[in-house]
């Protein structure tokens, strides 16, 4: 079930919010847990049992991982942690990567005249996200940063919470543990603060991202031998904008929903396209993923504590994993390695520092955006050959214009929306629109709230009613 489907917007979400609003506050976690499992079952079917199985294992392991004052059972706790994390990772590897791995094995076997069957598994929606939530839960308990949950309902509310279950933000246990006790009292205030944020995300998704989707699809469908300079750049820039408004729109909707339910979920975007360096870009893009890899991979590997060589190695490991986390394709691995290499280059030559001179900042910002756009071509392309061909056409100007299929998709409406969306490249780094809309009482914020919840929400509702919405891009991850 998608956040932009009529079933969710007109039935499921109102039912859950009304139940949380009118029922005793001690029922909140139970309502969220039951509603979230129903939400997941509607979208994933029988895969809900895989989610439930992982939840049972991690919940039962939690109390066994808690350190005692003298850590007498440290070795036993370490073994339990390794076993549980290994199980979580194995489930992810099997369901998400078994098909890719067997394809590579089959290709090698074919070279030697043999044959190997290729596994064909349907990837359960949200598996990458709830696996990371489980790992965060057991690791934070093992480190003694938070207490294990003894109430299975509260645990289910955290893991299966429908605003963040399918596509994040990735909520580390330490960020939400103190919110799980059902002490919420200002329910109407939370509803009033969260709904404009949800509406902003809905407008981003339906009005901009979904409108650009057919244009981007048409550009990336052009065969490499028919690709042109104009088509390649239009597709790359269009996808850069589509992905941002789609994913940041989802995050705004998730954060707004969480706030309406009484939770403050972590921010996931902070004007990433205003970044001056790639290092800054990763502090602003999908921030919950960056924080997760920092806390559970980069720092345990040693971070930047053991010299430059180890720091570069750790960065490369993190971004190889970041690439493959997004999907079992070589394009994602290349995209991850590309960003890892850019981060290493910035650190090696001191380019990760924000230049003080204004004109240098403008140049660095333009260069950073250019590098990000090239990276998104790998991220979106169906295979490496297509990505390299498209980048080649972006680097070699020609005067062939757009193909017939692209011209047909490039309507006047999409041209206007594309030009409007391009403003995101020019906006200052602060303030970030989502938090401003949610909490600020300034006149600009009030005017924005009114505009989003009247004109924007009405237009979004019309688009949804006509069935022009599409699935969120990050649902596939």
């Amino acid at each position: 079930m998608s956040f932009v489907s009529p079933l969710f917007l007109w039935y499921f979400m109102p039912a859950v919010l009304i139940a949380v609003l009118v029922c005793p506050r001690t029922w909140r976690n139970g309502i969220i847990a039951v509603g979230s499992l129903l939400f997941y079952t509607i979208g994933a079917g029988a895969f809900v049992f895989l989610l439930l199985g992982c939840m049972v294992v991690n919940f039962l392991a939690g109390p066994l991982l808690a350190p005692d004052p003298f850590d007498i059972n440290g070795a036993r706790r370490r073994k339990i942690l390794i076993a549980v994390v290994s199980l979580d990772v194995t489930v992810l590897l099997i369901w998400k990567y078994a098909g890719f791995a067997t394809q590579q094995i089959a290709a090698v076997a074919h070279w030697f005249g043999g044959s190997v069957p290729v596994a064909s598994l349907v990837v359960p929606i949200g598996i990458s996200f709830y696996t990371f939530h489980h790992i965060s839960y057991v690791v934070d308990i093992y480190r003694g940063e938070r207490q294990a949950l003894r109430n299975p309902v509260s645990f289910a509310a955290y893991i299966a919470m429908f605003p963040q279950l399918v596509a994040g933000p990735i909520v580390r246990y330490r960020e939400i543990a103190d919110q799980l006790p059902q002490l919420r009292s200002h329910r109407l205030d939370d509803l009033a603060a969260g709904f404009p944020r949800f509406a902003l995300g809905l407008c981003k998704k339906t009005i901009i991202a979904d409108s650009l989707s057919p244009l981007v699809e048409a550009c990336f469908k052009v065969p490499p031998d028919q690709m042109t300079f104009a088509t390649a750049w239009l597709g790359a820039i269009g996808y850069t904008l589509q992905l941002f408004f789609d994913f940041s729109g989802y995050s705004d909707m998730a954060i707004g929903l969480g706030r309406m339910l009484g939770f403050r979920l972590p921010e996931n975007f902070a004007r990433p396209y205003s970044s001056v360096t790639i290092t800054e870009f990763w502090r602003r893009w999908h921030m919950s993923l960056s924080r997760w890899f920092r806390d559970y991979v980069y720092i345990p590997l040693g971070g930047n504590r053991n010299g430059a060589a180890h720091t570069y190695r750790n960065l490369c490991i993190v971004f190889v994993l970041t690439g493959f986390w997004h999907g079992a394709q070589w394009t994602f691995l290349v995209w991850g390695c590309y960003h890892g290499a850019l981060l290493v280059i910035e650190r090696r030559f001191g380019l990760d520092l924000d230049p003080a001179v204004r004109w240098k900042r403008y140049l660095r910002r333009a260069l950073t955006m250019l590098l990000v756009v090239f990276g998104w071509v790998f991220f979106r392309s169906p295979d490496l050959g297509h990505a390299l061909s498209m980048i080649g056409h972006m680097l070699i100007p020609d005067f062939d214009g757009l193909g017939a299929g692209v011209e047909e998709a490039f309507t006047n409406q999409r041209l206007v929306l594309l030009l409007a969306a391009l403003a995101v490249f020019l906006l200052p780094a602060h303030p970030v629109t989502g938090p401003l809309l949610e909490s600020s009482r300034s006149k600009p914020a009030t005017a924005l709230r009114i505009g989003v919840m009247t004109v924007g929400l009405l237009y979004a509702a019309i688009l949804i009613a006509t069935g022009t919405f599409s699935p969120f891009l990050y649902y596939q991850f």
Side-chain angles (χ1 to χ4, degrees):
M1 181 166 33
S2 172
F3 284 178
V4 293
S5 67
L7 175 62
F8 179 85
L9 290 171
W10 299 333
Y11 299 101
F12 181 84
M13 184 179 77
V16 173
L17 290 176
I18 290 172
V20 170
L21 189 64
V22 302
C23 292
R25 64 185 182 186
T26 54
W27 291 23
R28 181 194 65 170
N29 288 356
I31 293 169
I32 293 172
V34 172
S36 298
L37 291 173
L38 175 62
F39 172 87
Y40 190 79
T41 302
I42 292 173
F47 282 122
V48 71
F49 295 108
L50 179 64
L51 170 62
L52 288 171
C54 293
M55 288 171 60
V56 168
V57 171
N58 284 269
F59 175 73
L60 294 177
L64 304 176
L65 293 167
D68 57 71
F70 302 101
D71 203 15
I72 298 172
N73 298 316
R76 179 178 65 86
R77 291 192 310 112
R78 190 176 302 108
K79 291 178 181 177
I80 294 174
L81 177 69
I82 293 172
V84 174
V85 172
S86 297
L87 176 63
D88 291 331
V89 173
T90 299
V91 170
L92 179 63
L93 290 175
I94 291 174
W95 287 102
K96 191 167 182 177
Y97 302 99
F100 175 78
T102 53
Q103 284 177 1
Q104 310 315 308
I105 295 172
V108 173
H110 180 71
W111 293 342
F112 294 96
S115 63
V116 174
V118 175
S120 180
L121 299 176
V122 177
V123 181
I125 59 173
I127 188 171
S128 297
F129 291 92
Y130 70 69
T131 297
F132 274 22
H133 289 141
H134 280 132
I135 293 174
S136 171
Y137 175 74
V138 295
V139 172
D140 285 355
I141 294 172
Y142 174 81
R143 292 174 175 173
E145 296 177 354
R146 291 295 185 273
Q147 297 294 318
L149 290 170
R150 305 285 177 167
N151 186 334
V153 175
S154 296
F155 179 77
Y158 162 51
I159 296 294
M161 188 186 300
F162 68 88
Q164 49 82 36
L165 174 61
V166 176
I170 299 172
V171 184
R172 294 167 296 171
Y173 178 54
R174 72 183 74 167
E175 295 175 307
I176 205 168
D178 297 336
Q179 302 180 52
L180 288 170
Q182 303 170 82
L183 306 176
R184 180 187 182 210
S185 57
H186 303 290
R187 286 178 278 191
L188 288 176
D189 291 345
D190 288 337
L191 195 66
F195 185 74
R197 186 73 181 269
F198 177 85
L200 173 66
L202 185 65
C203 292
K204 282 182 176 180
K205 164 64 176 171
T206 56
I207 298 175
I208 301 179
D210 284 354
S211 296
L212 295 178
S213 177
L215 176 61
V216 172
E217 184 72 18
C219 291
F220 276 86
K221 274 188 175 180
V222 175
D225 60 342
Q226 299 177 26
M227 185 69 66
T228 66
F229 178 79
T231 299
W233 274 105
L234 181 61
I237 293 174
Y239 183 68
T240 299
L241 295 170
Q242 180 201 1
L243 182 63
F244 169 74
F245 282 99
D246 187 283
F247 193 22
S248 70
Y250 179 93
S251 297
D252 284 329
M253 295 174 77
I255 293 168
L257 277 169
R259 182 66 185 273
M260 287 190 279
L261 294 171
F263 293 96
R264 292 180 179 265
L265 303 183
E267 295 295 331
N268 215 18
F269 289 88
R271 295 257 174 96
Y273 291 162
S274 66
S275 301
V276 179
T277 65
I278 296 296
T279 301
E280 183 184 1
F281 173 78
W282 279 103
R283 292 174 182 153
R284 294 174 173 273
W285 176 273
H286 204 173
M287 296 187 294
S288 63
L289 180 67
S290 299
R291 289 189 293 259
W292 194 96
F293 273 112
R294 180 196 66 197
D295 291 346
Y296 303 114
V297 179
Y298 182 71
I299 292 177
L301 286 173
N304 57 3
R305 297 190 301 270
N306 299 313
H310 284 85
T311 299
Y312 303 155
R313 179 205 65 183
N314 297 340
L315 282 172
C316 291
I317 291 173
V318 164
F319 276 88
V320 165
L321 295 176
T322 299
F324 259 138
W325 178 86
H326 282 86
Q329 294 181 31
W330 291 113
T331 50
F332 292 122
L333 175 61
V334 171
W335 172 79
C337 293
Y338 171 78
H339 275 275
L342 291 175
L343 287 171
V344 169
I345 292 170
E346 285 190 347
R347 281 180 175 257
R348 173 64 181 83
F349 296 101
L351 301 176
D352 56 325
L353 303 177
D354 190 350
V357 182
R358 181 170 294 182
W359 68 267
K360 288 185 178 180
R361 283 182 55 83
Y362 293 151
L363 289 178
R364 291 289 303 280
R365 180 169 172 175
L367 176 61
T368 298
M369 197 63 257
L370 193 64
L371 293 172
V372 169
V373 170
F374 278 106
W376 288 139
V377 174
F378 287 104
F379 196 85
R380 173 60 176 80
S381 295
D383 54 60
L384 286 178
H386 188 282
L388 293 173
S389 174
M390 193 166 183
I391 289 175
H393 282 88
M394 292 170 69
L395 296 173
I396 303 175
D398 59 51
F399 301 96
D400 294 336
L402 302 172
V406 177
E407 286 183 350
E408 183 179 347
F410 200 14
T411 62
N412 290 333
Q413 178 210 20
R414 292 186 183 123
L415 173 60
V416 171
L417 287 171
L418 180 68
L419 293 175
L422 282 171
V424 76
F425 291 151
L426 305 175
L427 292 174
H430 300 287
V432 179
T433 308
L436 176 74
L437 190 74
E438 185 177 335
S439 58
S440 176
R441 294 296 176 264
S442 65
K443 289 183 179 179
T446 301
L448 180 60
R449 270 193 295 272
I450 293 173
V452 165
M453 292 192 295
T454 54
V455 179
L457 205 56
L458 177 61
Y459 186 34
I462 293 172
L463 292 175
I464 292 168
T466 57
T468 57
F469 63 91
S470 60
F472 286 95
L473 296 176
Y474 259 66
Y475 273 17
Q476 63 183 303
F477 306 135

